[in-house]
Each structure stands twice: as structure tokens, then as C-alpha cells.
Amino acid sequence: MRKFYNRGDLLDSTTEFILKKMSNPTERRPHILLITTDQQRSDCLGINGNHEVETPNLDALARNGVNFRKGYVTCPVCIPARRTLISGMSPDSHGLRRYLDGVDFDPPATLPGCLKEVGYQTELIGKLHLHPQGKRYGFDNITLSETANWRPDHPHQKRNDYVRWLQEKGVTRHPTFQGIGSNSRLSAPWGMDDTLHWNQWVTDETVKLFQQRRDPTCPLFLHLSFFHPHPPFIPLKHYFDRYLEKDLSGPVIGEWAKQGEDARAAPDAVAGPFDEGTMKRAKAAYYALINHIDDCIAHILEQWTNLPDVGNDPLYIIFSSDHGEMLGDHHLFRKSQGYEASAHVPFFLSGINVDLPSMETDDFVSWEDVAPTLLDLAGVVIPPSMDGRSLVSYLDGKEPDDAPDHIFGQCFGRFANLWVVNERWKYIWFAKTNEEQLFDLQNDPRETRDLSGTNTENLQAMRKIMEGHVSGREDVTFDESALSPCANQPPKVFWPN
């Protein structure tokens, strides 16, 4: 259910909450590492069943903690998701339900702000993607690069500390000189020295923080925010070659998708059909970027554990991604959709020098839960503005009884869609065309057959759940008499002709 607050009341109550100390004032608060990637699907970790991509380090971390196999982002596109991450607020609460840059964001409480108030050194390295650019939202310091692209004339992304670092090293060439854009399905190997790649830069900056800028007298909160595997798909050559040599599977094409192949679609097109060769190369580059990140994380954690003053200090780690990537599945590309490839993300809680159960769960979690969980781990009472729940109770090795029975998601714009997923069913409603789809995830986890035209009973049940989330809203009208089941045919929202 949506929660509405008076901002002044929230500011007063938030101050009261975050100033509360742990019950034992001499207790050392744990260090916290929040690692996020950008545009990484849930099924792109080995531990989540992918036998093509190599992620041994992340898999080991996940095995040594709690792996949430049903992690979702409730608005699967960059800025709304990142608002949710930093504030713990749902899209309905923080007010952004689509990709829209240049909009000020001033939440009543933030994860880094709450941690800073109780004595943490709070740092961000990598992507933040909030407005105005440079606002710290409670971080003591931000080392900022929203993208591997250099955009000096962009109205909202002029600052890029990565590009500044390249220039300090005498590199004046554009880092994406291949001409591959930030939403392109095209791919090419990285064309400069390996040490200049974006992944390597953010890794080196993190190690510098550990060794040179860290305050040893207080706990550290670091948001390590990777821009990749978001396009441009320009991995290091030896990683790219590794996956080009593999016999990778092609995209999953549902019965309901437009069939055939067509290489003429624009490089950044959302809907195909796409030719399989281009998409297989895109997958190879995408996997290569993930593999590189996996190795980077291993190096970062090795450097952390080698710090002489860390010793037995507890470190908690959450790993997740802001949304997935369709990657040619159903002849769709990019994100923003309620399909599993787009909205379902990796999500696990692990750590170093902490006692954690080794377990997996199918309970639903979302990005609303990240901030409450990390505040709870730090001994900070969760501010009332946060919509999510703490996941700390899972550290007892049991599944608590407060897990939601479904997730509601939405993303507006050209392909406005709202969706509901429960233990078995996925319902998608396209608000502009009133089309709808229904998938049986238990028997069809890759969403290849749309049952909206045949399974009336479950379609009606999922409609009622959707109606509970959107009734009373002024921006959409959910009129059952106007709904049009796609009935396993291509949605007109993607293929109007």
C-alpha cells in the first residue's frame, strides 16, 4: 500500500531515528560495502543457473551468505531505481516512474545520510545518476562517472571523473571512439591499454580509497557502483575472445514475439526482429564485461582483507543491479519492461568476518529493501519514509513470515507497462494500448507462451491485484472492459503493424 507523508514531519522524525545509537555504545559498527552493477540480469550469475558466464568470485560470495533468487526492481530503468536505492522509497513515493533526467531529488532520508549521522565515512565510487549532478545525498565524497562516454555538452552529465583521469594520463581520445552508443546492441573490443578501461578505473579508485583516503577511526560505507555491463559493449579483448570462442545460446524468442530476423533495425532499437549473429556477439561482450567485473571485485576484496588495521572487523556486502537487459530475448533490447530479463536482478547479502548462513530463498525482495537492511545492520533504526523492509532476519538462517506475496512494478514512457508477479504468475498491462499478457513462471520461466487468451481464471485474479495498486490514480485508468489480451500474439505496443 502506498504511504503518504508530510515532509516536515518526516524531517523531524528522521533526525530522531538516525541519532539513535546502538544499545552498546562501545560496539564497533560494521563496515558496509554496497556493490551494484548496471543492467545485469538475474540469470547472469553462475549461482543463478547460468553455465555460460564465468562469475566464480560473486558465486562464492553468494554461497557464503543469503542469495535472494527473486530480487526485483520496481521501476527497471536507471534513475527511478537509483532514487529507490538511496532513499528506500518506492517509485510511487519518490515520484519518478520513468526515465527522466534533470529532475531535482530531495528525499527526507538517504542511506548514506543516515550512516553519516552515526559516524560512518560515506563514499561513492562510480555511477550515481541523480540530479543535480554533484549533489552528495549524504556521501562525504563522490568519485563520479555516470557513463564510459564523454559528454561534455550534456545538460545533466557534464562531470565525468573517469574522463578527467584519462586526460590527466595524457589520453585525449574519446573512450568510446568505436562509435558504439550507450544503448547500442553493437559490440567491439576495447581499443586502448587494458589499464584504462572503465572497470579498471573504478577498481583502482576503490583501492586508493582503502589505502589512502580511508579514515581508520570510523567504519566505512562504500557504494561501489559499476557502470557496466550497461552498453557500450566494449570489453577487454581477452575477455571478449573468451566468449566469442564459446558456443553461446541465442536469445529466447517467445511464441508471442514477432518472428524472423532483420539486421536493418537501428543499433539502439528497442524492438526487432534482430539478427541472431549480432545478438550472439552482444551476449559475448555482455558476458565479458560481467566476467571482468567479477575479477575486479575479487581484487578489491583481496586488497581490503590485506589492510593491516582491518583485522577481524566485520564487513557486510550487498550485491545487486539496477535492472536487467532484454539482450534480444523476444526480439527486444534494453530495459524498462516487466519481463524477467529486464526487471529480475541478482541480489545477495554476504560479508567478511561475519557469521552468515549459507542459504537461498525464493522470497520476494526489491531495491526498496536495500537501505532498510543496511541501516539495520549498522544498528540504525529505519526512518519512516522508507517503504522497504529489513532483510536482517534472514541471517538467522530461516525465512521470516513477513515476505510480500507479490511484487508490483511499473515503468512509463514510450512502452508504458505495469506488472505484477507472484509465486507463480506474471501479469503485464500496457497502459497505452490496454493490452495484457499472462505468463506461468512455474512452468514457463522464460516467458515464451502468453496465456492471456486462454487462462481466464488466473488472468482475472492477477487483474484484481493490479487494480489494487492503480485504483484511484489519476495518471492511468484500469478499465477491465477496455482490456485486450494479447493472446500469444505480438503486442502492438512494440509492433504496431
Side-chain angles (χ1 to χ4, degrees):
M1 182 177 295
R2 294 178 62 192
K3 297 191 285 187
F4 298 90
Y5 302 100
N6 177 278
R7 178 169 169 75
D9 294 341
L10 275 175
L11 290 173
D12 292 339
S13 60
T14 296
T15 301
E16 177 185 350
F17 273 97
I18 63 180
L19 290 179
K20 282 191 174 184
K21 303 296 183 180
M22 300 177 76
S23 57
N24 180 0
T26 64
E27 186 176 351
R28 173 79 170 188
R29 296 181 192 269
H31 304 288
I32 295 173
L33 177 57
L34 170 60
I35 307 175
T36 58
T37 55
D38 194 319
Q39 211 147 314
Q40 182 175 352
R41 301 158 51 125
S42 175
D43 61 6
C44 285
L45 286 181
I47 196 170
N48 288 344
N50 191 316
H51 303 297
E52 296 179 335
V53 68
E54 298 179 29
T55 56
N57 301 295
L58 288 169
D59 294 342
L61 272 177
R63 278 194 297 270
N64 291 326
V66 183
N67 184 27
F68 296 93
R69 292 180 297 208
K70 289 188 177 180
Y72 285 87
V73 178
T74 52
C75 188
V77 72
C78 292
I79 301 175
R82 291 170 187 279
R83 282 190 173 199
T84 292
L85 182 71
I86 204 168
S87 70
M89 302 171 76
S90 72
D92 283 340
S93 294
H94 65 58
L96 194 62
R97 305 181 180 112
R98 59 172 294 176
Y99 183 96
L100 187 61
D101 215 336
V103 180
D104 287 357
F105 184 43
D106 189 23
T110 67
L111 170 61
C114 291
L115 293 175
K116 182 177 181 178
E117 288 288 343
V118 295
Y120 275 81
Q121 177 184 355
T122 55
E123 300 275 341
L124 169 96
I125 298 178
K127 182 171 182 176
L128 182 59
H129 210 171
L130 295 175
H131 188 78
Q133 193 182 43
K135 183 175 178 177
R136 290 175 295 151
Y137 292 97
F139 288 108
D140 291 319
N141 182 68
I142 56 176
T143 303
L144 191 65
S145 177
E146 317 289 14
T147 171
N149 275 317
W150 183 19
R151 297 173 172 173
D153 299 322
H154 194 287
H156 312 300
Q157 296 182 19
K158 293 178 188 248
R159 176 177 170 181
N160 193 327
D161 293 344
Y162 166 63
V163 172
R164 174 184 50 78
W165 173 82
L166 287 176
Q167 292 172 337
E168 290 172 354
K169 290 185 170 294
V171 178
T172 58
R173 198 174 193 182
H174 194 297
T176 55
F177 60 87
Q178 301 91 341
I180 297 175
S182 290
N183 286 306
S184 175
R185 68 184 183 278
L186 304 182
S187 56
W190 175 247
M192 293 191 281
D193 189 277
D194 287 2
T195 61
L196 301 178
H197 193 275
W198 196 100
N199 285 347
Q200 195 59 53
W201 168 76
V202 79
T203 300
D204 292 345
E205 290 296 315
T206 302
V207 174
K208 285 180 188 176
L209 166 64
F210 290 169
Q211 297 177 344
Q212 301 174 18
R213 295 195 294 106
R214 182 178 54 87
D215 182 348
T217 68
C218 66
L220 173 67
F221 166 62
L222 169 62
H223 181 190
L224 173 58
S225 179
F226 285 92
F227 165 73
H228 289 301
H230 191 298
F233 292 149
I234 45 174
L236 298 184
K237 186 177 185 302
H238 65 276
Y239 286 104
F240 198 13
D241 289 345
R242 177 181 299 173
Y243 290 95
L244 288 174
E245 292 168 1
K246 291 188 177 187
D247 184 21
L248 298 179
S249 59
V252 176
I253 307 299
E255 297 174 3
W256 53 269
K258 189 172 182 179
Q259 302 301 309
E261 291 189 10
D262 189 346
R264 297 170 296 175
D268 62 350
V270 172
F274 305 123
D275 64 290
E276 185 172 348
T278 298
M279 296 316 305
K280 278 194 173 183
R281 287 190 296 274
K283 176 180 277 192
Y286 182 76
Y287 283 178
L289 289 165
I290 294 172
N291 198 162
H292 188 191
I293 290 171
D294 185 77
D295 288 341
C296 288
I297 291 171
H299 176 69
I300 287 167
L301 293 180
E302 179 185 39
Q303 296 302 304
W304 171 265
T305 56
N306 286 337
L307 294 172
D309 62 322
V310 170
N312 294 319
D313 283 359
L315 169 69
Y316 285 103
I317 301 169
I318 279 186
F319 176 86
S320 191
S321 192
D322 64 343
H323 49 74
E325 162 60 67
M326 293 304 299
L327 206 61
D329 283 1
H330 317 302
H331 284 306
L332 299 172
F333 188 67
R334 295 161 63 176
K335 58 270 189 177
S336 82
Q337 301 304 315
Y339 301 116
E340 292 292 283
S342 170
H344 190 184
V345 294
F347 195 123
F348 65 76
L349 171 59
S350 188
I352 297 173
N353 297 326
V354 289
D355 186 17
L356 297 174
S358 177
M359 66 175 287
E360 293 189 330
T361 175
D362 285 330
D363 282 358
F364 286 112
V365 296
S366 67
W367 263 35
E368 284 84 343
D369 300 329
V370 174
T373 299
L374 294 181
L375 291 179
D376 199 3
L377 288 169
V380 180
V381 179
I382 300 163
S385 58
M386 295 189 175
D387 295 313
R389 66 187 180 111
S390 170
L391 306 177
V392 169
S393 55
Y394 288 89
L395 302 189
D396 292 332
K398 300 177 182 178
E399 294 180 342
D401 57 8
D402 64 342
D405 61 7
H406 72 275
I407 293 284
F408 165 70
Q410 58 192 317
C411 192
F412 287 80
R414 180 182 172 191
F415 306 105
N417 69 113
L418 301 91
W419 48 274
V420 174
V421 57
N422 65 17
E423 184 179 6
R424 178 170 180 176
W425 299 96
K426 166 80 70 65
Y427 173 76
I428 300 175
W429 170 48
F430 297 101
K432 290 185 176 181
T433 61
N434 271 320
E435 295 175 288
E436 55 187 354
Q437 292 179 306
L438 180 71
F439 299 102
D440 180 354
L441 297 184
Q442 180 175 303
N443 296 304
D444 180 25
R446 307 185 85 176
E447 299 169 320
T448 62
R449 178 173 293 180
D450 166 27
L451 302 178
S452 62
T454 56
N455 195 319
T456 305
E457 179 181 355
N458 286 294
L459 179 67
Q460 191 63 31
M462 298 301 283
R463 283 174 173 176
K464 288 189 178 301
I465 299 175
M466 175 64 71
E467 186 176 17
H469 284 280
V470 300
S471 62
R473 282 176 51 165
E474 297 180 356
D475 59 329
V476 292
T477 300
F478 188 74
D479 180 0
E480 188 171 329
S481 66
L483 295 175
S484 176
C486 289
N488 213 32
Q489 295 300 308
K492 293 182 177 62
V493 69
F494 300 122
W495 298 286
N497 298 320

